[in-house]
Amino acid sequence: MWKGRFDTETSGLLQRFSESVSFDWRLYPYDIQGSLAHAEALLAAGILPAEEHAEIGRGLREIQQEIEAGTFEFREDLEDIHMNIESALTQKIGAAGARLHTARSRNDQVALDVRLFCRHEVTVIMELVKELQWALVECAKRHEGAVIPGYTHLQRGQPVLFAHHLLAYVEMLERDRGRLGDGRERINVMPLGSGALAGSTIVLDRELVARLLEFPRVTRNSMDAVSDRDFIAETLFTLALVGTHLSRLSEDIVLWVSAEFGFVELSDAHTTGSSLMPQKKNPDIAELTRGKTGRLYGNLMSLLTTLKGLPMTYNRDLQEDKEPLFDSIDTIKMCLRINAEMIGAMKVREDRTRAATGDPFLLATDLADHLVLQGVPFRQAHEVIGRLTAHSLKTGVSFQDIPLETYREFSPAFGDSVHDLLDVDTALRARGGIGAPSPDNVRAEIERWDETLRPALTP
Ligand code: ARG
């Protein structure tokens, strides 16, 4: 493509070192879409006669079909997808193909292709996030009455509904969906026309190109436009955070399926056995999701590191943006799909979760609250219940079996009804504040999510 200035062929090693077509070939539909719009602008500017414009359209569509049919021959010596397509086009239609790159550089071309690619993929991922949210809400519905200990420091804290625990993940994923949508606003800006870095002396109608490609805005600074990869960094960050959330869910699931917890059962379809230990049923999906989160973080770091030392404007380093982007997108799509399927078939062992909430210490805070309602300052109440806990541990007598007189030796403020408080369902019903896990609240939240998530799912 640049043979004019060179005497010697490029080294074979350089070709292999610098090619990107082995991975950027997947930008082909966007490259073609962008070239079709660019050809419209060249036609409108009188650079391309109508016949040549039509030939370009025909040629590009043929190339797209060949790529889709698997008959297109990608050439490493043509470096990237952009030059592969341009060269094939010129071979097909001659002079007209050679006019297509007028007032365009691969620098603004690649920026356009990646923006089109990201816009599409982010939209798909937003839908997949929603499908996982839906699977969580459905599981919450199936087990609406299941109680479970809530943990801090992985120590039993207070009772909650299992559904409340799952809906916490629905909240996280909702923020992720919001972030993806926000980021899409900044992806959705049209860079073509920025040229190599300084626009072009041949002035095309950029607004026309933007309209054809459904971009609401065009970039306003050609130097920024060819070197800006913020939108990729943002996308990688958001996907890394989706990964964080999936990884936390995975860790919960790994714990829940262990014999020690035994809170949930995964379908045989979503677990694996051991080649050695016949009894094993391993939560590999959860473990792999947790593991793959590492590469999502790595991809973000990789791009940020690539960007940090670059002088203006385009530098070849920027070609290193694509593999991390593609990898994060492929990884998160797979993780979202498979987790939605797994959660869709997950069952809660409600007898086991209820047995775990039989731990009387889960209601220690409720006893302290009882004293507060009798007028005892909370700090004192906290200390009284702390001493009662020590007493219970020392004597082996549970809160339920400690007689009222003994309670009153610890504090005369204990009311007659203290034993009635020591019931998980009573304790849950009492937690009626906004955002707390009373059964009424959780049912209302399930309904709210049902309304938020359902409509877009029905085709
Ligand atoms: N393959 C290049 C990339 O992905 C395309 C742009 C090349 N531009 C250049 N001036 N060499 O970034």
Side-chain angles (χ1 to χ4, degrees):
M1 292 280 166
W2 46 74
K3 57 182 186 295
R5 188 217 183 284
F6 289 71
D7 296 331
T8 314
E9 288 289 304
T10 45
S11 132
L13 216 46
L14 165 60
Q15 281 177 19
R16 264 171 60 203
F17 185 59
S18 82
E19 68 84 24
S20 57
V21 70
S22 57
F23 49 88
D24 69 14
W25 68 270
R26 63 193 279 183
L27 294 174
Y28 77 86
Y30 308 103
D31 198 70
I32 290 171
Q33 200 188 352
S35 286
L36 289 170
H38 183 63
E40 288 294 325
L42 291 173
L43 173 72
I47 307 280
L48 268 186
E51 328 73 82
E52 293 197 359
H53 168 261
E55 278 174 49
I56 287 177
R58 225 175 306 116
L60 286 173
R61 284 190 189 91
E62 253 177 62
I63 290 171
Q64 174 141 10
Q65 279 160 12
E66 285 165 24
I67 295 177
E68 266 145 32
T71 56
F72 187 86
E73 198 206 328
F74 289 105
R75 281 174 48 190
E76 188 181 81
D77 61 318
L78 290 172
E79 198 179 301
D80 55 25
I81 184 63
H82 324 293
M83 294 207 288
N84 265 271
I85 290 178
E86 192 189 324
S87 154
L89 182 68
T90 308
Q91 251 172 37
K92 264 185 207 301
I93 65 172
R99 262 195 245 283
L100 176 62
H101 209 52
T102 310
R104 183 176 72 169
S105 154
R106 275 183 298 151
N107 297 352
D108 56 350
Q109 186 176 2
V110 72
L112 172 67
D113 293 4
V114 179
R115 282 177 185 271
L116 286 167
F117 169 81
C118 277
R119 183 174 73 179
H120 172 75
E121 292 296 338
V122 162
T123 307
V124 171
I125 292 168
M126 286 172 74
E127 257 332 283
L128 293 175
V129 170
K130 190 186 257 195
E131 280 166 31
L132 176 58
Q133 288 178 294
W134 182 252
L136 288 161
V137 171
E138 287 283 285
C139 186
K141 273 189 223 166
R142 286 199 299 282
H143 297 288
E144 209 186 287
V147 289
I148 190 177
Y151 298 79
T152 59
H153 313 268
L154 202 56
Q155 305 285 319
R156 286 177 180 167
Q158 296 171 342
V160 291
L161 286 175
F162 183 80
H164 193 61
H165 192 134
L166 287 188
L167 292 185
Y169 286 104
V170 179
E171 295 280 347
M172 295 177 220
L173 293 169
E174 185 69 5
R175 292 194 295 275
D176 291 333
R177 226 152 47 86
R179 264 182 288 271
L180 287 164
D182 294 345
R184 196 171 50 181
E185 301 285 307
R186 281 174 295 278
I187 292 170
N188 209 9
V189 191
M190 208 292 295
L192 207 66
S194 304
L197 81 157
S200 173
T201 56
I202 299 164
V203 179
L204 301 181
D205 184 351
R206 299 188 63 209
E207 303 279 0
L208 167 66
V209 176
R211 272 198 305 283
L212 291 170
L213 297 172
E214 292 177 40
F215 283 99
R217 289 184 292 151
V218 300
T219 56
R220 310 297 303 193
N221 182 302
S222 60
M223 295 177 82
D224 177 44
V226 293
S227 57
D228 168 27
R229 298 294 182 273
D230 293 5
F231 66 98
I232 304 182
E234 270 192 80
T235 303
L236 290 178
F237 167 73
T238 305
L239 298 185
L241 196 54
V242 176
T244 306
H245 294 149
L246 296 188
S247 189
R248 293 186 66 189
L249 175 60
S250 298
E251 177 59 13
D252 273 343
I253 289 173
V254 168
L255 290 171
W256 287 342
V257 299
S258 69
E260 282 67 19
F261 281 77
F263 288 174
V264 311
E265 184 159 10
L266 298 175
S267 155
D268 287 356
H270 303 127
T271 46
T272 61
S274 156
S275 55
L276 180 77
M277 298 168 280
Q279 84 285 10
K280 292 294 284 294
K281 182 171 171 180
N282 297 328
D284 289 25
I285 292 177
E287 293 167 76
L288 281 167
T289 302
R290 194 176 56 189
K292 284 175 190 293
T293 302
R295 56 203 284 171
L296 298 175
Y297 294 2
N299 290 336
L300 171 62
M301 280 308 130
S302 159
L303 180 69
L304 289 174
T305 311
T306 298
L307 296 180
K308 73 182 272 291
L310 297 186
M312 292 280 266
T313 55
Y314 179 87
N315 295 271
R316 193 61 190 283
D317 317 44
L318 289 173
Q319 181 170 295
E320 293 293 316
D321 61 356
K322 282 167 213 67
E323 285 161 293
L325 174 65
F326 294 162
D327 184 67
S328 282
I329 283 178
D330 295 343
T331 301
I332 207 72
K333 281 164 76 176
M334 193 63 180
C335 288
L336 287 165
R337 283 204 179 99
I338 198 156
N339 276 281
E341 190 183 291
M342 179 180 72
I343 303 286
M346 184 172 94
K347 289 202 182 72
V348 180
R349 298 170 67 186
E350 300 196 18
D351 53 330
R352 296 271 316 191
T353 59
R354 183 161 281 277
T357 59
D359 180 345
F361 293 132
L362 280 175
L363 301 175
T365 323
D366 294 54
L367 286 180
D369 289 348
H370 166 77
L371 288 180
V372 168
L373 293 175
Q374 308 291 321
V376 180
F378 180 74
R379 277 287 153 238
Q380 272 172 35
H382 185 282
E383 196 198 322
V384 169
I385 306 302
R387 281 194 278 110
L388 251 171
T389 302
H391 169 79
S392 168
L393 285 168
K394 201 159 67 206
T395 59
V397 183
S398 80
F399 284 166
Q400 191 56 261
D401 296 329
I402 295 174
L404 186 58
E405 309 80 72
T406 312
Y407 272 105
R408 290 201 168 132
E409 282 166 24
F410 283 85
S411 166
F414 276 111
D416 298 340
S417 64
V418 59
H419 290 95
D420 298 344
L421 295 173
L422 297 170
D423 171 68
V424 170
D425 298 301
T426 309
L428 279 173
R429 270 196 305 276
R431 289 174 158 75
I434 297 170
S438 74
D440 284 349
N441 281 356
V442 172
R443 191 169 315 112
E445 283 301 297
I446 288 176
E447 271 165 34
R448 184 173 70 83
W449 283 118
D450 198 285
E451 273 166 35
T452 312
L453 301 170
R454 183 186 283 277
L457 281 174
T458 46

